[in-house]
């Protein structure tokens, strides 16, 4: 690709990430793109009537999605590329408002995944996720994104924390709580703000899954515009590029499949995560639709896990492997680990 083509693609990635502040919006955006490209949405609670050449997708928990393209003839295998929709962040606890000195209101949060705390300080932040609300049919989910600078996690001034440059140990339950606003009479509460954004009443809200997100925009930089920076690159970059790969691929004898899972950052153990039954359920239903032996299909299949890798750090090259240095802009990284944290082997 030329430098111009790279910049165009990088801007596509950054635009997708900006529109996908948390996993729910990421999956909603992927679903919208699949629908626009002729993919049919399936539901796990319904029977599937699949035909050769069809393009479909299925969503679980609003935060994980599997899309697939069936071959023109009877499938012979599955070719799968998997990534994840979540990134390290802070989840907002129920009843989150904390009043400080009868003046400030901050929100009670807990960390989700592993992050560098300092990267969250003094940044423009907001809130996105989903809420569960009453509806005529019982309950429904709504995506919510407060699309403005709403919060910040303020750091202590240097003269109030002289040890900050000497290895200060952050306490996430004290140092990382975001400031929401002043505590004046008649202020709009946090849940009022969420209800207004979703166009529902507070009484209609039955549950929430809301997270902080960094609102700083991505940027292309470097002497020759060879680098880019953006929140949530890990792993929405892989999710978007995997989606493009599925959309641009030519049909083969295999079922071509995109998997984007939630909860990778906390061990992939949720009911919709990579360690759940989600993939196997979808694969078995595809095999069953064509009356094929699932185990034979599986034996002929391949899954690639697409995630981000660490390049050599310009200030800390000693942190990298001595004989397998990974540098930015030199292509795809293949990860190996003797303890099988990655399943790559010689074959």
């Amino acid at each position: 690709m030329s430098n111009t083509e790279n910049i165009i693609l990088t801007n596509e990635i950054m635009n997708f990430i900006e529109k996908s502040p948390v996993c729910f919006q990421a999956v909603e955006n992927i679903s919208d793109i699949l629908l626009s490209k002729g993919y049919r949405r399936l539901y796990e609670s319904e029977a599937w009537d699949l035909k050769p050449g069809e393009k479909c997708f299925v969503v679980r928990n609003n935060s994980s999605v599997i899309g697939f393209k069936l071959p023109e003839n009877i499938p012979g295998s599955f070719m799968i590329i998997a990534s994840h929709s979540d990134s390290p962040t802070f989840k907002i606890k129920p009843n989150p408002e904390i009043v400080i000195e009868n003046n400030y209101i901050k929100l009670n949060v807990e960390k989700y995944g592993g992050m560098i705390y300092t990267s969250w300080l003094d940044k423009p932040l907001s809130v996105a996720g989903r809420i569960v609300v009453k509806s005529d049919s019982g309950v429904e989910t709504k995506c919510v994104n407060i699309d403005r600078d709403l919060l910040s996690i303020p750091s202590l001034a240097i003269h109030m924390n002289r040890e900050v440059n000497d290895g200060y140990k952050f306490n996430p339950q004290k140092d990382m709580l975001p400031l929401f606003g002043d505590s004046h009479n008649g202020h709009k509460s946090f849940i009022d703000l969420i209800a207004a954004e979703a166009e529902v009443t507070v009484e209609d809200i039955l549950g929430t899954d809301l997270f902080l997100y960094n609102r700083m925009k991505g940027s292309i930089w470097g002497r020759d515009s060879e680098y880019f920076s953006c929140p949530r690159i890990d792993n929405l970059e892989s999710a978007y590029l995997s989606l493009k790969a599925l959309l641009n691929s030519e049909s083969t004898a295999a079922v071509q499949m995109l998997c984007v899972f939630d909860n990778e950052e906390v061990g992939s153990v949720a009911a919709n995560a990579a360690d759940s039954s989600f993939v196997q359920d979808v694969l078995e239903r595809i095999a069953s639709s064509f009356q094929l032996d699932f185990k034979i299909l599986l034996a002929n299949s391949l899954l690639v896990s697409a995630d981000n890798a660490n390049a050599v750090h310009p200030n800390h090259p000693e942190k990298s492997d001595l004989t397998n240095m990974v540098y930015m802009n030199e292509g795809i990284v293949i990860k190996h680990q003797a303890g099988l944290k990655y399943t790559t082997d010689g074959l």
Side-chain angles (χ1 to χ4, degrees):
M1 294 176 70
S2 68
N3 192 46
T4 300
E5 289 172 321
N6 276 325
I7 290 175
I8 291 172
L9 179 57
T10 302
N11 277 309
E12 278 186 35
I13 295 169
M14 293 192 299
N15 288 335
F16 173 79
I17 292 174
E18 184 178 345
K19 294 175 183 176
S20 306
V22 300
C23 56
F24 301 107
Q25 279 79 10
V27 167
E28 185 176 59
N29 290 331
I30 290 171
S31 300
D32 288 344
I33 293 170
L34 290 171
L35 283 170
S36 73
K37 298 298 183 180
Y39 282 70
R40 175 168 67 98
R41 180 164 182 175
L42 305 172
Y43 295 88
E44 291 190 273
S45 58
E46 299 174 357
W48 293 3
D49 179 22
L50 301 178
K51 297 178 174 58
E54 223 180 349
K55 301 180 294 185
C56 305
F57 71 98
V58 59
V59 174
R60 184 181 281 190
N61 191 50
N62 304 113
S63 61
S64 298
V65 58
I66 295 177
F68 57 89
K69 183 190 300 183
L70 296 171
E72 296 297 334
N73 298 305
I74 301 300
S77 63
F78 300 105
M79 292 291 124
I80 307 168
I81 186 164
S83 58
H84 63 92
S85 60
D86 61 324
S87 300
T89 182
F90 293 90
K91 187 171 186 180
I92 297 172
K93 293 183 178 183
N95 307 309
E97 293 188 23
I98 303 171
V99 179
I100 302 299
E101 301 294 333
N102 294 317
N103 200 303
Y104 301 132
I105 300 175
K106 60 184 181 180
L107 299 183
N108 195 6
V109 300
E110 59 180 315
K111 74 184 188 73
Y112 172 90
M115 79 280 285
I116 300 173
Y117 290 137
T118 53
S119 67
W120 286 85
L121 297 175
D122 306 313
K123 298 288 197 306
L125 308 175
S126 195
V127 174
R130 71 169 176 191
I131 60 173
V132 182
V133 299
K134 297 176 187 176
S135 71
D136 293 339
S137 60
V139 297
E140 65 179 59
T141 60
K142 283 179 169 282
C143 280
V144 177
N145 175 21
I146 308 297
D147 191 13
R148 65 180 176 89
D149 297 347
L150 178 69
L151 306 159
S152 186
I153 303 173
S155 58
L156 275 170
I158 186 67
H159 59 276
M160 295 179 178
N161 184 9
R162 296 291 185 185
E163 298 81 35
V164 69
N165 293 323
D166 300 319
Y168 177 77
K169 185 175 177 58
F170 287 89
N171 179 347
Q173 287 299 298
K174 183 173 180 64
D175 297 311
M176 305 307 297
L177 301 184
L179 180 63
F180 176 54
D182 291 339
S183 177
H184 299 308
N185 290 333
H187 78 276
K188 181 178 284 189
S189 71
F190 176 74
I191 196 65
D192 284 333
L193 192 68
I194 296 299
E197 180 67 26
E199 299 181 336
V200 299
T201 66
V202 170
E203 293 73 25
D204 285 337
I205 297 177
L206 303 175
T208 64
D209 291 298
L210 300 171
F211 300 85
L212 302 187
Y213 73 93
N214 184 345
R215 285 181 54 80
M216 294 186 70
K217 293 183 179 296
S219 64
I220 297 173
W221 54 281
R223 183 194 60 198
D224 299 313
S225 300
E226 63 264 60
Y227 307 125
F228 82 102
S229 298
C230 190
R232 302 180 297 283
I233 291 174
D234 178 14
N235 185 29
L236 293 184
E237 176 189 30
S238 299
Y240 181 73
L241 292 175
S242 300
L243 172 63
K244 282 186 70 77
L246 175 66
L247 296 177
N248 295 333
S249 63
E250 297 180 1
S251 293
T252 68
V255 178
Q256 298 171 347
M257 184 172 290
L258 161 78
C259 300
V260 181
F261 299 111
D262 189 13
N263 302 123
E264 189 275 347
E265 297 290 349
V266 291
S268 299
V269 294
N272 53 286
D275 200 25
S276 72
S277 67
F278 193 18
V279 173
Q280 183 166 335
D281 290 347
V282 172
L283 299 185
E284 286 185 344
R285 292 182 76 161
I286 293 172
S288 176
S289 294
F290 294 96
Q291 297 182 325
L292 298 173
D293 188 315
F294 169 67
K295 292 183 178 180
I296 293 175
L297 280 176
L298 201 63
N300 290 316
S301 300
L302 179 70
L303 183 147
V304 171
S305 174
D307 208 335
N308 294 75
N310 291 308
V312 172
H313 193 288
N315 295 334
H316 293 280
E318 75 280 1
K319 296 292 186 179
S320 295
D321 187 89
L322 290 175
T323 61
N324 295 284
M325 295 289 197
V326 173
Y327 295 99
M328 289 187 282
N329 290 318
E330 291 197 353
I332 291 172
V333 177
I334 299 177
K335 300 182 181 181
H336 298 255
Q337 203 253 349
L340 297 183
K341 182 178 180 181
Y342 313 116
T343 58
T344 312
D345 59 16
L347 179 62

